[in-house]
Amino acid sequence: NAGVTQTPKFQVLKTGQSMTLQCAQDMNHNSMYWYRQDPGMGLRLIYYSASEGTTDKGEVPNGYNVSRLNKREFSLRLESAAPSQTSVYFCASSVVGNQPQHFGDGTRLSIL
Amino acid sequence: EDQVTQSPEALRLQEGESSSLNCSYTVSGLRGLFWYRQDPGKGPEFLFTLYSAGEEKEKERLKATLTKKESFLHITAPKPEDSATYLCAVQFSGGSNYKLTFGKGTLLTVNP
């Protein structure tokens, strides 16, 4: 049982390049989330999808777009990467909103 | 603004030396409080959910408790494998069902 799978695990980009981070869950969860984790800060919500077909902004959405491709998959896109977007990105899923979120192991993204 | 504060930032224990971690939050109403464990290079792993003051949950050497303004994670007779960063996250009532506010975490080191 894989849970939440994120690809790639590591990536280095140059400023201005674009990239899509992929996330898939096999737990039949309705809700999915994207977070970023930076040193000295708590996890911050970028976007979430309450259910298939819906997406909403979180705390730090600027510079990102998301797509809920189907119930299993939720992708995060950086259209024009900036050094400030260097971070570890986590995808999570939950049955519904007020239930525990289960996380993947992250994508470590460096933007030069 | 709803905030979550964890203390201490770091805690070093000897194997078998019991202690507690604290998670306090500004009160605008609590919908749920979640504890996670995060190992280096991994995503947060769900431990407990607490929904109302007075509630307690236990798992092996860990016990989580909740009052109206804070939660404690008690670690009894810890072992080196309990070393990790422990994260607290709060879902505030009056806000979205889908948004968690995370604390910055407590880095626990248990020496043999």
Side-chain angles (χ1 to χ4, degrees):
Chain A
N1 190 351
V4 178
T5 303
Q6 294 184 236
T7 55
K9 296 188 186 307
F10 302 93
Q11 186 70 47
V12 179
L13 294 178
K14 293 181 180 179
T15 298
Q17 287 185 318
S18 62
M19 164 141 201
T20 299
L21 308 185
Q22 306 287 353
C23 174
Q25 54 93 7
D26 62 3
M27 296 176 283
N28 200 35
H29 285 173
N30 292 299
S31 306
M32 298 185 73
Y33 312 80
W34 277 105
Y35 290 88
R36 61 180 289 173
Q37 187 175 42
D38 300 294
M41 304 190 73
L43 283 153
R44 292 181 293 168
L45 183 65
I46 305 171
Y47 270 94
Y48 67 97
S49 171
S51 60
E52 187 178 356
T54 70
T55 60
D56 284 286
K57 295 178 180 179
E59 181 184 357
V60 288
N62 291 343
Y64 305 95
N65 287 299
V66 291
S67 296
R68 182 76 182 267
L69 304 170
N70 48 55
K71 190 172 185 178
R72 291 186 64 249
E73 298 173 288
F74 189 37
S75 64
L76 178 72
R77 183 162 178 85
L78 288 70
E79 290 291 352
S80 179
S84 61
Q85 294 177 305
T86 293
S87 189
V88 182
Y89 291 86
F90 289 100
C91 177
S93 68
S94 65
V95 175
V96 290
N98 63 348
Q99 294 298 305
Q101 296 179 15
H102 298 270
F103 287 78
D105 281 339
T107 294
R108 283 143 187 84
L109 182 62
S110 293
I111 299 163
L112 307 177
Chain B
E1 179 182 329
D2 296 322
Q3 290 187 347
V4 177
T5 303
Q6 291 189 244
S7 61
E9 291 185 7
L11 179 63
R12 191 176 293 271
L13 301 173
Q14 289 299 122
E15 185 171 2
E17 180 186 1
S18 301
S19 188
S20 297
L21 313 182
N22 178 262
C23 173
S24 63
Y25 49 91
T26 57
V27 179
S28 66
L30 181 76
R31 182 173 283 140
L33 185 142
F34 304 82
W35 281 101
Y36 289 86
R37 168 195 171 122
Q38 186 174 23
D39 293 300
K42 298 291 187 179
E45 175 189 351
F46 170 70
L47 294 173
F48 304 109
T49 307
L50 302 167
Y51 290 108
S52 56
E55 190 174 0
E56 298 181 352
K57 295 274 181 72
E58 280 190 79
K59 179 181 179 181
E60 297 181 353
R61 295 176 293 281
L62 300 177
K63 179 180 178 180
T65 61
L66 182 65
T67 71
K68 288 187 177 180
K69 292 190 176 183
E70 60 190 347
S71 176
F72 290 94
L73 185 65
H74 307 278
I75 304 175
T76 301
K79 298 181 177 182
E81 53 262 42
D82 294 322
S83 297
T85 296
Y86 290 85
L87 303 174
C88 168
V90 173
Q91 195 170 66
F92 292 100
S93 61
S96 167
N97 270 349
Y98 301 91
K99 293 184 178 179
L100 291 179
T101 301
F102 279 84
K104 295 180 182 181
T106 293
L107 175 60
L108 174 66
T109 304
V110 182
N111 295 315

